[in-house]
Amino acid sequence: MSPVPPRTRRRGLPSTPARSARKLGEIRRAQLVTTYGVGAMIAVENESFLIRGIDSWDISEAPVVSEPRLAWQLGVTGFRMPPAPDGDRARDGVRAVRFPEMYSCPRCRRLQPYRRFNPPPGRAECSTCQENLVPSRFVVACAHGHLEDFPYWKWVHRGNRTTYGACGGQLTFRADGSTASLRAVLIGCDCGVEEVSMEGSFRRQALKDLGIRCAGRRPWLKDAPAESCQEPPRTLQRGSSSVWFPVMYSALSIPPWSQGIAKLVAPYYEIFRQENAEAVKAYVRMQKLLRHHPEYTEDDVAAEVERRRAAEEAATRPDDGTGIAERARNYRTEIYEGEYRSLSKTHPEVADQEQEFVCEPPTAPIDALRSSHGLAQVMLVKRLREVRALQSFRRVDEPGPADSPLREAAISLTPPDWLPAFEVSGEGVFVRLDPERLRAWEREPGQMARAARIRENHERLLAERAVDADKPTPSSPATPRFLLLHALGHALINEWSLDGGYPAASLRERIYSDDDMAGVLVYTATSDSAGSLGGVVAQGEPDRLGASLRAALRRAGWCSNDPLCMESEASGADSLNMAACHACLLLPETSCENNNILLDRAALVGTPDGRVPGYFSH
């Protein structure tokens, strides 16, 4: 009896009805901003897709996220949460496009565009072998954000032919499994050329040496024309973190924008934006917006709308020609200074109001902490709200303050008037240092020398990444004050993750360092009610905070990698740390707003020989 022949697709069977969009999978809304945003690749079972631009999203039912200070700073009218329509009724949501286009079959080893496998509807399957297809492991990207498939044909035929597809052969993909290196990944063609491994394809000049230039493709934007690009393309792993770096901005909701009449007007401001006072009052009467708020009048609403208009016009808006450096400077100035002032004042809880920001001093005095640890103020932030928005993204190299505007990969084909964002609620503790004691300490020659070494390395890196030689390179924030506050934030997060009930990845820092600012906020960063359970606020009471500081400083005084860690002249990525490693100060990436750079444990406790004093050395 002969064996059963392999299955093949039958022709002439009725096809499935056409649909407007195929439902691929489900991810959390926050992930569409932080992890799988526009331009990022996402794996769905044995397929790979690229999240499309926000101009293709259906936002008809997407909730509005109000944060006027951040919206004005980013030059948009507002924010929207990524759409999450009902799974049973919805026909659309966030759009995606198949990428990479090249797939391979593990049985017949053919390597070709997905459509040439003629797969059945809804399944990535080889029509001949009935095996699940495998998306290409390699893609090509450039520092200006362009993305395309790896040029397998040119790689295997290098030195043999110059015209793509001239051999008429079929590409093959084979991994012999002998090693885990690229040497075991072999690309072949049945035209007769010798198989070539992928070894060497990740060199910076590998593709450029073959005459391969960036094609300027932006497949995440529908109908986007190819751009002229002179950047050398780089080979990357499809799942590499270098394929997509989000550029996110965030702001805390602070008074007066987070309460009272301002909060009432926020959801309707887009309607009121172009209307005069009488039209605003008429809408308020028609919709009965004040039926549950007798403390306000129609005149109050109209006055608040006018105040928002004036603030919006006066706000600093990013200019298309200024680039990332100017935007980052304005962001720090406009957003952080306002938060610092609010965190330094008391904003008590009011029983009959829905508040998004409650900030109060601890019940007990902090005199002992002021004299022993040099703390000027401790505030318990019992309730806070943070909005995080995706502005753009980068590829190949992580974002930096010296980036050229050309590196800003757009999230829509035309300049958007809204950005995807999400909000998190939580709690935190704000600690402000004694300014007089801080000024005396930061003039210590030893600390100034250590900070100068980090700053030189950082400014050298910024100068290398700066494209426009006519514009000044942004200065590094690496000062003794910044290093101290940053190290203090990391030390408290590590300590409170043990005492407060939250893992370190659920805590975040916010550093306020300038000539007139010297504080650090450690807060929870969860997108549900678990962010306000009180575990962190309890750590801000003076007795517990004193115990936490003493324990944190004891841990910082000795690292398991000492003396190598403390005596290191430079450590970390691009030599932008001093005494800081994974055994003492480094945190999960979600917790540090500076990507674990510009850290020095000696700023807290000094060096063991006593030549360089730390702020808490005594």
Side-chain angles (χ1 to χ4, degrees):
M1 182 177 179
S2 60
V4 178
R7 293 183 300 151
T8 58
R9 284 193 64 194
R10 296 182 179 179
R11 301 183 182 275
L13 293 178
S15 59
T16 57
R19 294 181 296 175
S20 59
R22 171 187 167 199
K23 182 179 177 181
L24 299 176
E26 296 179 357
I27 57 177
R28 297 191 302 274
R29 275 174 162 165
Q31 289 180 306
L32 284 167
V33 176
T34 60
T35 310
Y36 301 118
V38 175
M41 279 180 282
I42 177 173
V44 180
E45 296 180 349
N46 64 315
E47 301 176 79
S48 177
F49 298 91
L50 192 66
I51 303 298
R52 274 214 159 137
I54 60 174
D55 45 7
S56 69
W57 294 9
D58 179 9
I59 59 170
S60 57
E61 298 182 8
V64 175
V65 178
S66 175
E67 184 47 57
R69 294 191 311 132
L70 185 60
W72 299 334
Q73 191 62 35
L74 298 181
V76 295
T77 59
F79 305 105
R80 293 269 193 160
M81 292 187 70
D86 184 88
D88 297 327
R89 297 185 296 103
R91 297 173 58 85
D92 208 347
V94 174
R95 291 290 183 97
V97 61
R98 186 179 300 280
F99 191 88
E101 298 176 3
M102 298 295 288
Y103 277 66
S104 62
C105 174
R107 176 172 292 185
C108 64
R109 296 178 180 172
R110 285 186 295 169
L111 175 65
Q112 59 190 10
Y114 175 83
R115 63 183 180 277
R116 292 183 58 186
F117 283 101
N118 195 23
R123 289 184 295 170
E125 184 179 282
C126 178
S127 60
T128 303
C129 309
Q130 278 73 50
E131 287 284 343
N132 288 334
L133 298 175
V134 179
S136 170
R137 290 169 49 184
F138 310 102
V139 296
V140 171
C142 80
H144 287 175
H146 302 128
L147 185 69
E148 56 188 306
D149 277 90
F150 183 83
Y152 289 105
W153 193 94
K154 292 184 179 180
W155 181 256
V156 74
H157 289 87
R158 58 184 186 268
N160 293 282
R161 293 179 175 86
T162 57
T163 305
Y164 177 75
C167 70
Q170 170 66 55
L171 292 178
T172 60
F173 181 95
R174 181 169 67 90
D176 62 16
S178 58
T179 66
S181 67
L182 293 174
R183 188 179 303 173
V185 179
L186 303 173
I187 310 300
C189 181
D190 59 11
C191 69
V193 297
E194 185 178 356
E195 278 188 326
V196 176
S197 75
M198 292 293 295
E199 187 176 20
S201 60
F202 282 74
R203 289 188 298 107
R204 284 185 175 271
Q205 300 295 322
L207 300 179
K208 185 177 180 181
D209 292 344
L210 293 180
I212 299 173
R213 300 291 183 263
C214 178
R217 290 191 61 209
R218 295 175 292 171
W220 66 93
L221 299 178
K222 185 178 181 181
D223 300 327
E227 297 180 323
S228 175
C229 182
Q230 303 302 319
E231 280 292 303
R234 293 280 305 277
T235 303
L236 299 173
Q237 290 268 15
R238 174 168 52 89
S240 169
S241 61
S242 299
V243 173
W244 192 78
F245 293 104
V247 177
M248 296 174 56
Y249 292 90
S250 66
L252 302 181
S253 297
I254 58 175
W257 307 104
S258 63
Q259 61 190 29
I261 188 67
K263 186 177 180 180
L264 176 64
V265 170
Y268 306 96
Y269 181 63
E270 289 303 313
I271 301 174
F272 298 153
R273 179 188 294 274
Q274 305 297 333
E275 302 294 339
N276 57 33
E278 292 304 319
V280 170
K281 295 178 185 179
Y283 185 88
V284 172
R285 288 193 298 269
M286 181 177 64
Q287 298 295 329
K288 299 180 180 180
L289 298 183
L290 300 179
R291 62 183 181 277
H292 299 303
H293 300 277
E295 67 273 21
Y296 301 123
T297 66
E298 298 168 3
D299 292 331
D300 293 333
V301 175
E304 174 62 22
V305 171
E306 187 58 35
R307 186 173 77 92
R308 278 179 174 258
R309 284 202 198 103
E312 185 175 6
E313 293 175 359
T316 303
R317 286 173 174 266
D319 185 357
D320 292 338
T322 58
I324 299 303
E326 187 70 14
R327 181 175 298 155
R329 185 185 67 80
N330 292 337
Y331 170 72
R332 286 280 181 180
T333 301
E334 300 293 333
I335 300 296
Y336 276 54
E337 285 186 358
E339 294 175 2
Y340 185 78
R341 290 192 297 268
S342 291
L343 290 167
S344 301
K345 298 178 182 178
T346 299
H347 296 275
E349 186 169 8
V350 181
D352 58 345
Q353 291 187 9
E354 295 182 3
Q355 296 171 277
E356 296 174 343
F357 188 83
V358 176
C359 182
E360 299 176 339
T363 54
I366 65 165
D367 297 339
L369 292 176
R370 183 178 289 110
S371 58
S372 62
H373 291 84
L375 303 187
Q377 187 181 32
V378 176
M379 298 296 284
L380 307 182
V381 189
K382 298 181 178 179
R383 191 175 303 159
L384 63 81
R385 170 181 176 264
E386 182 189 21
V387 173
R388 304 176 193 165
L390 176 67
Q391 186 266 337
S392 59
F393 62 92
R394 308 285 183 273
R395 300 199 194 277
V396 182
D397 296 318
E398 64 182 1
D403 283 347
S404 163
L406 295 175
R407 289 204 63 205
E408 296 187 47
I411 61 174
S412 69
L413 193 56
T414 58
D417 60 354
W418 66 276
L419 293 175
F422 70 101
E423 58 186 12
V424 294
S425 58
E427 53 166 355
V429 175
F430 174 70
V431 175
R432 186 166 62 88
L433 301 184
D434 183 354
E436 295 183 2
R437 177 170 165 177
L438 179 60
R439 279 193 292 269
W441 170 83
E442 62 187 357
R443 289 195 293 264
E444 290 286 343
Q447 284 296 344
M448 293 178 66
R450 293 178 71 90
R453 192 174 299 125
I454 297 178
R455 186 167 57 253
E456 289 173 3
N457 293 339
H458 195 200
E459 290 182 345
R460 187 182 305 113
L461 177 66
L462 294 177
E464 291 174 357
R465 293 186 176 179
V467 177
D468 194 343
D470 297 332
K471 293 183 179 180
T473 303
S475 59
S476 169
T479 61
R481 176 177 300 202
F482 185 90
L483 297 180
L484 169 63
L485 293 169
H486 197 189
L488 177 61
H490 280 228
L492 288 177
I493 287 176
N494 280 327
E495 192 64 31
W496 288 347
S497 68
L498 302 175
D499 298 337
Y502 291 98
S506 294
L507 299 174
R508 285 172 64 92
E509 64 174 2
R510 209 163 174 88
I511 308 299
Y512 301 92
S513 175
D514 204 345
D515 295 338
D516 301 321
M517 296 191 297
V520 57
L521 172 67
V522 176
Y523 62 105
T524 57
T526 58
S527 55
D528 56 22
S529 59
S532 55
L533 297 178
V536 173
V537 166
Q539 306 304 316
E541 293 294 341
D543 54 344
R544 290 194 178 187
L545 180 58
S548 295
L549 281 172
R550 289 190 293 271
L553 294 174
R554 280 197 303 270
R555 295 178 191 275
W558 180 255
C559 171
S560 60
N561 287 329
D562 278 343
L564 295 178
C565 179
M566 181 61 77
E567 295 178 357
S568 171
E569 295 278 329
S571 65
D574 298 308
S575 299
L576 298 180
N577 289 333
M578 291 288 283
C581 68
H582 285 284
C584 54
L585 278 189
L586 300 191
L587 292 175
E589 292 182 1
T590 56
S591 300
C592 179
E593 64 174 357
N594 295 282
N595 296 323
N596 275 329
I597 64 172
L598 310 181
L599 285 164
D600 185 12
R601 186 161 45 95
L604 296 173
V605 296
T607 55
D609 56 13
R611 296 180 180 178
V612 180
Y615 185 80
F616 301 101
S617 290
H618 72 284

